[in-house]
Structure formats: C-alpha cells, structure tokens
Amino acid sequence: TVAPTSASSTVTTAPPTSATTVASPRSFTLLATGDLLSHSAVYEQAGAYAASAGDAGGYDFRPMFAEVRDQVGAADLAICHLETMLSPDNLQLSSYPRFVIPNQMAGAIADTGYDACSVASNHALDAGVSGMASTLDHLDAAGVRQAGGARSAAEDATPSVYDVQGVNV
C-alpha cells in the first residue's frame, strides 16, 4: 500500500506475510537462602534431637528447619548455601575455624525441600579435597543438586543447569 504523506514523499508498507506468534510468559518461584553454617553448638543440638528420638550417636537437623519447611517446599526452585563441609563418617567433626559437620545435614536439607545447594565458600576446603568429595557424595545421596564444587575436572567444567517449569536456570 502506498500512502502519500506529503506532496514530495510516499511511505510503502507491505501487508503481513505470516501470523506473528507471541509465546506465553512463563514464571516460577525461586527461593534462595544464605549460609547453613553449623558451629558445634548447632550440631550438638542435632545430636540431642537424634538421641531423644532413640538414635544415640546420630544427628537430626530436621527440627531446626521445621518453621521454614513449608516455604522452602513450596518454591519451584529452592537453593541453599551450604557453607560447611559434610563429614564422610562423623568421626572427626570440627567447628570454627575449620568446619566439618555431621553428614545428616544433607538429608535435612532434602527433607526441608531444597533442590540444590551452593557449596562454594571460604570453608569449601576446610576438610581438603576429600571433604569436598564427601560433601558432594552426601548431597547426591540425598537427592540435592549442587553448584560450586567438583570431584573432577570434568565435573568442574559442567555448568549446573536446572530445568524449572520449562525454563533453564
């Protein structure tokens, strides 16, 4: 179509050649929390919770998350920051300045509804490379994905991508 706009010029417009498709917006909820850092007083309390339930020598962190479990579990993607490393066997736990905490924390994280944890922190190597591997092994066993740590160069080179409601995060 040609339409005159003034005595000396014209504007040419072409009819649409195909229908334009607009994708529906997608959304999801993201919940992210800061440091899960357990000083000895915290994991000793987890030991007391376990003992009161008949698990002498165990650790139960789940009661500590009770008040946030509904909010964490309701998120489409819930990510925590696990500041401390998880012990392979709970035999040599330690607190400040080098943290190595009971490995039952991984199960409590999963039970609370977290999907993943960041593990990159200033305490990531408090238990050495084997401590990072132990932490990742316990998170894997609990079904909690992670970002920021690796057991190998290949794992380190693989980005952590989460499919949330059809959106790659």
Side-chain angles (χ1 to χ4, degrees):
T1 306
V2 176
T5 57
S6 72
S8 62
S9 67
T10 60
V11 175
T12 304
T13 59
T17 57
S18 65
T20 303
T21 304
V22 176
S24 298
R26 294 180 286 175
S27 65
F28 61 89
T29 56
L30 169 68
L31 179 136
T33 60
D35 298 358
L36 299 182
L37 189 149
S38 299
H39 285 267
S40 57
V42 174
Y43 62 74
E44 288 167 3
Q45 182 63 50
Y49 286 137
S52 70
D55 182 11
Y59 297 89
D60 187 359
F61 292 91
R62 293 173 302 157
M64 297 176 190
F65 292 100
E67 296 210 17
V68 297
R69 187 170 289 115
D70 290 344
Q71 294 86 354
V72 173
D76 295 317
L77 177 61
I79 302 173
C80 70
H81 177 65
L82 181 57
E83 181 81 6
T84 57
M85 297 298 97
L86 304 178
S87 173
D89 53 17
N90 293 345
L91 294 179
Q92 293 186 344
L93 303 177
S94 62
S95 192
Y96 182 81
R98 290 199 169 130
F99 292 90
V100 181
I101 68 166
N103 56 47
Q104 286 87 351
M105 177 62 88
I109 289 168
D111 185 61
T112 301
Y114 285 104
D115 302 295
C117 290
S118 159
V119 295
S121 79
N122 57 310
H123 293 288
L125 294 176
D126 280 3
V129 173
S130 64
M132 175 59 75
S134 173
T135 299
L136 302 181
D137 290 345
H138 286 292
L139 290 172
D140 286 349
V144 178
R145 296 187 55 198
Q146 61 82 24
R151 290 164 280 223
S152 68
E155 193 173 65
D156 186 48
T158 305
S160 298
V161 178
Y162 308 96
D163 180 329
V164 184
Q165 307 278 5
V167 177
N168 286 334
V169 178

